[in-house]
Amino acid sequence: MVKISINGNNYEVEPGKNLLHTCLALGFEIPYFCYHPTLGSVGACRQCAVKKYRNADDKAGRIIMSCMEPVVEGLIISTNDQDVLDFRRAVIEALMTNHPHDCPVCDEGGECHLQDMTVLTGHNYRRFNFRKRTFTNQYLGPYISHDMNRCIQCYRCVRFYRDYAGGKDLHVFGSASHVYFGRHKDGQLESIFSGNLAEVCPTGVFTDKTLSRHYTRKWDLTNAPSICNNCSVGCNIILGERYGTVRRVRSRYNREVNGYFICDKGRFGYEYINGPERIKHAVSQVSTGENTEDSLRKTLQSLIVGRKIAGIGSPTASLESNYALETLVGKENFYHGVSRKEYEYVNTALSIIKDNAYSNPSLIDIEKCDAVLVLGDDPAKTAPMLALAVRQCTRNKTFEIAAGAGIPSWNDAAVRDIGHNVYSPLFLALSDRSQLEDVVAGTFFGNSEELVNFGNMVSRSIINKTEPRDKDDTPENLSRVTAKALLEAKNPLIVAGSAENNKDIPEAARKVADALVAAGKKVSVSVTVPHCNSLGLSLFSGKSFEELESEFDTLIIIENDLYERCPSEKADMILGKATDVVLINHSVNQTFRKAGITLPSGTFAESTGTVVNFEGRAQRYYRVLPDLKDSWKWIAEIMNFAGKKLSWNSFSDIASSLAEAYSFYAAIEKKIPSAGFRYDGEKVARQSQRYSGRTAMNSNIDVHEPKPPEDLDSPLSFSMEGYRGIPSSYLTPEYRAPFWNSPQAINKYLNEPGGDPYDGNPGIRIFDE
């Protein structure tokens, strides 16, 4: 630790950080634009000015940019000197000379970092009376809108898109006051992380076009913390709802999983929730009467009472829903909703993850690895945020070179200059092209069997320590080059996956890892799985649905479509084993057309539950829409119809029951806030304090507000009334603080920018307990 003086007060702080980072961590309100905790510092915007003094006798000092100043022993600065305040005000006035001042019609309004910083610096009136510089905007595809006239030249967009995420089709053009950030011509942005531009940009240059189609002001959104269900990474997200429809998805900070970012599939893949294929009412093809509640109850009773029943779970349904189905049908009649190949693949992955011989890394751990072999599947297609973490691995050689030259890691431009085109070794063994190929040391393409053979060659080369040959581009020599790089690395990583669910691929990765362990290396192994709760489902008893051999009277399926998981003929045969089929699902699919009764369940936006990601991290999501029932609630009703009385009246009830049945879930319940959790007797408000639309929704009928729905299943309220402080990271529905309404307010919820939330990162790594 070193001692520094800020505004006449002494502080002990960690050396090696930049001054802006340190001041923000200490709670000082310093305006900034170009700095980002993940992207580092480049000193482009000149907004974070402070005054630095040579010693205690220096009364004049000099203005410096805090983002470019290292923290050292004896540093003396002022953040509120009048010269500094005048300088910041002048800088932002200059930045605003060409800005259109279109806040009332800008999609960023109310959540704009430029607005926040303008208020923070005290700039109120414009004195620029001349013709403004204007640009022609570009079409950037269906997801991102472009308005270059709002740009303040902070360079965040290209630094994220090109330098951090590896995109090639967005660049900076021009010079001086005519700098232009865009593509060389109109066209859809190619990066799978392009949506992050809407959060990275501190103004309204890049905005979420999917929100524009049904736009609402940010303070009129009802928000809820959730977990992305599009892949097995389990990125933390915030869902925003208005008038019963999901309007947008934003990233929710979790340092160990997705950090500040999410991929485009997670950000823009939500429209099915509002789509026409949703099942909103019970559908019965076996009832002779109307589809009334009484008729439905009688029909369900006839299908359950005194009959032999089986259940097929789902790798996309919550732990709670799968457990409820297992409880209803019995462990011996519960089948995982996956094919035999997927069942075997996931169980192989589970055995590797639980093997104490290897490290089971989080994404932040993966970024620290210095040599990587990706075997079997391209994470850019199946787990994009994992691919982004692997990309950061390739920079560790650059950081090593920079450190040797005395350049701190946060000095982004200097680090990239000194380590230009120098990468830590990354080897890909895939069946198709990858977006990671621009940073690879070697690539092998082959079919599934050839990929397994390549992995085995690498393990043999490690065991035999076979030296590679010069000017030999055969797969065998590439395996030797790969083996040598992994042996020379301090922190090697093996990433395995298979779009074909071939369990031999993770087994081949295991052999590589075993060979490295035998050579005395500490190795990390990460195995991707197909779905958001594949690993969670594998923790329950049961077999794959292809093992369903007995004849059953009634088959109950939750949140699944067998026709997506196996050939149509096999799905027909499996469904034909039961006299009647009951489906609990949220969307129309081929299984829906075969079901006798379909009950409408909520999507992840309409339900509360727990899922387990590819590293074994259990995370909870909360509903943002209150309309539909969770699958487990339908099952509880079915059990009551059948005379199997249960006291599952709330989420806490089924959670307690699950914790008694499975020890892994007991650890989850100890750490994740329960539904009864309160802050001074208050729930956490899902709605902003400025939420205004509720008074106008029904103004043509009645000026009185309808009573907000009650949520018995979570410690969040469907209201703007409730706890307004910084809640638990598990329960954070939005990021706001005085002066900070933009996504930059995230840093107010952390112990330092880019650090951990005050109560730790959300999620419980169940295999570490």
Side-chain angles (χ1 to χ4, degrees), residues 552-623:
F552 288 93
D553 297 319
T554 302
L555 178 63
I556 302 175
I557 304 171
I558 61 167
E559 301 181 41
N560 214 332
D561 184 10
L562 303 191
Y563 291 88
E564 287 186 357
R565 308 199 183 282
C566 65
S568 297
E569 300 79 13
K570 183 170 288 187
D572 287 337
M573 181 187 70
I574 292 168
L575 293 176
K577 291 180 179 292
T579 307
D580 295 290
V581 175
V582 176
L583 175 67
I584 304 174
N585 203 16
H586 49 71
S587 300
V588 172
N589 55 37
Q590 188 64 22
T591 302
F592 165 80
R593 297 180 176 90
K594 301 285 186 177
I597 291 183
T598 301
L599 305 174
S601 70
T603 63
F604 75 105
E606 295 144 323
S607 56
T608 295
T610 312
V611 291
V612 180
N613 79 345
F614 76 104
E615 54 167 318
R617 184 185 301 271
Q619 302 183 101
R620 186 158 294 165
Y621 56 91
Y622 298 94
R623 60 166 48 88

Side-chain angles (χ1 to χ4, degrees), residues 177-468:
S177 63
H178 287 80
V179 173
Y180 189 91
F181 297 90
R183 300 183 84 249
H184 66 291
K185 63 178 181 179
D186 285 12
Q188 182 170 343
L189 291 168
E190 296 171 0
S191 173
I192 54 177
F193 305 105
S194 64
N196 291 288
L197 293 174
E199 289 185 35
V200 167
C201 177
T203 72
V205 177
F206 300 99
T207 53
D208 184 341
K209 190 179 285 187
T210 66
L211 173 63
S212 301
R213 287 200 294 269
H214 41 205
Y215 184 72
T216 188
R217 285 298 184 187
K218 311 306 191 304
W219 55 81
D220 283 341
L221 287 170
T222 298
N223 299 301
S226 190
I227 303 298
C228 178
N229 69 342
N230 284 295
C231 77
S232 63
V233 171
C235 292
N236 290 214
I237 58 175
I238 293 174
L239 295 176
E241 173 273 342
R242 173 79 161 159
Y243 292 141
T245 59
V246 176
R247 301 297 178 93
R248 73 165 179 180
V249 174
R250 268 184 57 192
S251 66
R252 180 165 62 99
Y253 184 85
N254 187 325
R255 179 174 174 267
E256 294 181 345
V257 183
N258 54 293
Y260 290 92
F261 311 122
I262 56 175
C263 76
D264 284 2
K265 191 173 184 180
R267 187 180 298 274
F268 303 122
Y270 66 87
E271 286 289 4
Y272 77 94
I273 299 169
N274 309 323
E277 295 297 300
R278 289 300 309 281
I279 303 169
K280 295 295 183 70
H281 305 285
V283 178
S284 175
Q285 299 180 30
V286 298
S287 174
T288 55
E290 297 180 5
N291 284 328
T292 62
E293 184 176 339
D294 186 57
S295 173
L296 178 66
R297 176 174 178 153
K298 291 179 179 177
T299 303
L300 285 171
Q301 280 180 327
S302 67
L303 297 181
I304 302 298
V305 177
R307 306 189 101 203
K308 187 176 181 182
I309 58 175
I312 295 179
S314 171
T316 59
S318 67
L319 292 174
E320 294 78 15
S321 292
N322 279 298
Y323 169 70
L325 182 59
E326 182 195 69
T327 303
L328 170 62
V329 302
K331 291 185 177 182
E332 68 281 1
N333 295 325
F334 178 71
Y335 295 86
H336 294 194
V338 296
S339 66
R340 183 184 291 107
K341 281 189 69 175
E342 184 173 330
Y343 179 87
E344 293 173 349
Y345 172 84
V346 172
N347 276 280
T348 300
L350 179 63
S351 69
I352 293 173
I353 292 166
K354 295 172 71 174
D355 195 326
N356 293 327
Y358 329 118
S359 173
N360 175 25
S362 64
L363 291 197
I364 193 68
D365 296 327
I366 286 173
E367 292 183 5
K368 299 171 185 175
C369 296
D370 56 353
V372 186
L373 168 61
V374 177
L375 180 64
D377 193 25
D378 181 9
K381 296 183 177 69
T382 58
M385 289 303 295
L386 172 59
L388 189 62
V390 168
R391 178 175 290 277
Q392 307 321 307
C393 294
T394 64
R395 294 196 61 206
N396 286 320
K397 184 66 175 178
T398 298
F399 288 128
E400 188 178 317
I401 294 171
I407 300 172
S409 60
W410 50 261
N411 194 342
D412 191 60
V415 170
R416 291 185 185 279
D417 283 345
I418 199 171
H420 185 63
N421 289 333
V422 177
Y423 303 110
S424 297
L426 166 63
F427 299 92
L428 303 179
L430 308 173
S431 58
D432 203 356
R433 314 298 302 189
S434 171
Q435 290 190 9
L436 291 170
E437 285 182 45
D438 59 314
V439 291
V440 297
T443 306
F444 172 79
F445 293 110
N447 58 35
S448 185
E449 184 178 343
E450 290 168 336
L451 295 175
V452 172
N453 291 336
F454 181 80
N456 292 335
M457 281 194 289
V458 173
S459 60
R460 286 195 297 270
S461 297
I462 293 172
I463 293 169
N464 299 326
K465 293 183 172 57
T466 313
E467 285 292 320

